[in-house]
Amino acid sequence: RIKIDGVICPPTEISKSKELFDLIVTPGIRLKNDTNDDQKNITTPEKAIESGADYLVREDLSEITLNML
């Protein structure tokens, strides 16, 4: 049996995934004023945190940042 501590999941799946896994990493994080329209499944940092995300992945122009909560 394989033990999985966490998953990378889209914003729409955070709540469901939190029921099954202890660690949730969520990409698709955008600030309210972001105009980057490169993904459909996005959310704000606040909403992701409220839903249970542990780590947020946000793309900033030329670099990708991983924020630990």
Side-chain angles (χ1 to χ4, degrees), residues 14 26 29 43-56 69:
I14 296 171
T26 304
I29 303 300
T43 193
T44 63
E46 295 84 8
K47 289 181 182 176
I49 292 166
E50 288 172 11
S51 296
D54 298 298
Y55 289 86
L56 308 179
L69 303 177

Side-chain angles (χ1 to χ4, degrees), residues 9-69:
C9 71
T12 55
E13 301 298 320
I14 296 171
S15 297
K16 291 179 191 174
S17 298
K18 198 63 177 180
E19 294 174 11
L20 301 171
F21 302 101
D22 293 328
L23 178 66
I24 304 296
V25 178
T26 304
I29 303 300
R30 300 291 185 267
L31 299 178
K32 290 180 184 177
N33 60 349
D34 277 351
T35 58
N36 190 356
D37 193 22
D38 64 332
Q39 294 183 26
K40 291 184 180 180
N41 194 346
I42 62 171
T43 193
T44 63
E46 295 84 8
K47 289 181 182 176
I49 292 166
E50 288 172 11
S51 296
D54 298 298
Y55 289 86
L56 308 179
V57 180
R58 196 185 116 187
E59 185 177 349
D60 289 317
L61 300 175
S62 63
E63 67 180 74
I64 295 178
T65 58
L66 180 65
N67 300 312
M68 185 173 130
L69 303 177

